[in-house]
Amino acid sequence: MTKILLLIVICLMPSTLYAQWYTGQASSPIDGKDYNDIRKKVIQQAIENASLQASSYIKIETTVSDGILSKSTSNIQSEHQISEIKILNESVTNDTLTINVKVNLQTSLNCTKDQYQKQLVIAQFPLLTPAQAAAGDIYTLPFHVVSRFKNELINQPNVFVEELIPQMVFKPNSSMDTVNLRSVNRISHALSSQYQSQYLVFGYLRDIGLFNETKSGLLNSTTSPKRNFTMKVFMYDRISDSIVLENEYHGEGGWSFNSFNRVDLSNSLFWRSEYGQTIVDTLFKAAKDINETLSCEATKAKVINKDDAFITINIGTLHGVKTGDIFKHIKLKNIPLNQSILTTLMPPNEATYLEVVQVSKKISLLRVPPKQDLNGMKQHQIDLYDVVTTVPQ
């Protein structure tokens, strides 16, 4: 069988990605079945087997025509993405088809990053089913959870937590609810006068239900109380009006407390218990995912003031800004649609660059270098609430 080299482009990332080849093999009996159907399944399994070597899981849908993999769509649950697939060989022995493939996986771990911390605010996480808090009288658990979530996020290297706010951004009516972006956008704008953060983290506790786990042995069985901890987390980009992260996290741990008495959630005994540690571990996973997501997002800051001399943006030394740093201007435009307004970022045809000339903890003063703006027209075209972003190095 002729070897086929295929390029499947499923990633818009630039060539900064790191690529590595992995090999995979799969077999399946033919048993009189349609050969092309069996072959497609074997190729899929071989690619999945190769991807597992990179600690990835790839769900693949392929179309094979005349020995050529002509279509492939992939759902990759890792830092890796398919770049190329090469069918090395295939053979039929004892009515069993075996195929060997090489898969070139790219990793986004080396994505383009900047040196700035991304600023966010955290909203309250309500209970989806308050009645689940009756066991142990832990109705205040959401407040303790979000406070500890803030601490986990503060310890992440790419995150600057502006504030833990008292508002609930989204309270679902059922476990199947999805976020209404328009509603989140309205709440976000209402918070703009108080909080400058680009990102808004919110969500809810889906399940803290108590249950009994039974383990059967050879001679007897044991039953122990356990409790769920399932949370849904969203991260909303207030500048681009989009959800950049939506994940659900689940853990369960042994419940070692009297469910008919109130549990003291301020006591370290609770947080050192198996269930308390389950919560902390789950919050750490969510904070780590937020940090990794933000690490590959370009920093954006809003213009909060302008005068004849300077443009003022809403990040400063606390976020890593230094005198001499360069940012690029992006225009914020409102486009009228039917019964609504679309706010979008529109890069100018000719880029305008600004240099940081003064910086304090939370704000920076920028200007277009005079030698690049002799008549001041470039700086004059920058308006209040426009956006500046980092320049790729």
Side-chain angles (χ1 to χ4, degrees), residues 39-279:
R39 187 172 182 275
K40 285 190 289 185
K41 292 178 181 178
V42 172
I43 291 175
Q44 293 173 16
Q45 187 61 55
I47 295 172
E48 291 180 10
N49 291 341
S51 73
L52 290 174
Q53 299 177 48
S55 300
S56 309
Y57 175 74
I58 306 180
K59 179 183 178 183
I60 304 168
E61 296 177 14
T62 58
T63 300
V64 179
S65 177
D66 296 327
I68 298 177
L69 188 65
S70 58
K71 178 183 177 184
S72 176
T73 59
S74 307
N75 178 20
I76 303 172
Q77 299 173 349
S78 73
E79 293 103 353
H80 296 86
Q81 296 173 317
I82 295 177
S83 173
E84 300 176 32
I85 299 171
K86 187 174 183 180
I87 300 176
L88 296 176
N89 55 64
E90 52 187 284
S91 61
V92 178
T93 303
N94 297 326
D95 206 31
T96 296
L97 173 64
T98 300
I99 296 179
N100 291 279
V101 300
K102 283 177 67 177
V103 179
N104 192 353
L105 294 177
Q106 293 181 326
T107 175
S108 58
L109 292 177
N110 293 335
C111 65
T112 302
K113 302 182 180 181
D114 58 46
Q115 69 270 33
Y116 306 112
Q117 288 187 320
K118 311 304 190 295
Q119 184 167 265
L120 57 82
V121 288
I122 312 167
Q124 296 298 316
F125 278 57
L127 273 174
L128 177 64
T129 310
Q132 290 179 339
D137 194 8
I138 57 172
Y139 291 97
T140 60
L141 181 64
F143 301 100
H144 291 271
V145 164
V146 77
S147 177
R148 288 179 176 268
F149 195 21
K150 174 187 175 183
N151 293 335
E152 293 292 345
L153 286 166
I154 286 173
N155 291 326
Q156 296 297 322
N158 299 299
V159 176
F160 177 84
V161 179
E162 180 186 7
E163 191 62 77
L164 172 58
I165 64 178
Q167 290 93 333
M168 289 188 303
V169 171
F170 174 65
K171 185 174 183 180
N173 296 318
S174 73
S175 60
M176 299 302 292
D177 273 3
T178 57
V179 172
N180 184 323
L181 266 182
R182 185 174 297 180
S183 174
V184 176
N185 180 270
R186 285 197 300 267
I187 295 172
S188 174
H189 281 292
L191 298 172
S192 294
S193 61
Q194 298 173 271
Y195 308 107
Q196 296 295 321
S197 293
Q198 177 181 351
Y199 299 98
L200 173 63
V201 175
F202 63 97
Y204 57 93
L205 305 187
R206 186 188 294 281
D207 182 16
I208 60 167
L210 191 65
F211 66 98
N212 288 322
E213 180 181 74
T214 301
K215 293 184 178 180
S216 299
L218 292 175
L219 301 177
N220 55 25
S221 61
T222 58
T223 299
S224 55
K226 301 192 76 172
R227 198 160 196 161
N228 291 309
F229 181 76
T230 305
M231 64 186 297
K232 187 70 175 283
V233 178
F234 301 90
M235 184 163 60
Y236 170 71
D237 186 338
R238 302 170 71 193
I239 291 179
S240 64
D241 186 27
S242 61
I243 299 292
V244 294
L245 180 142
E246 178 181 348
N247 278 340
E248 184 166 294
Y249 301 88
H250 173 75
E252 56 187 44
W255 181 252
S256 54
F257 302 93
N258 188 332
S259 297
F260 298 99
N261 296 329
R262 173 176 292 182
V263 176
D264 185 2
L265 299 181
S266 299
N267 194 313
S268 62
L269 289 175
F270 173 79
W271 295 102
R272 291 202 305 267
S273 71
E274 184 178 333
Y275 184 65
Q277 284 299 303
T278 294
I279 295 175

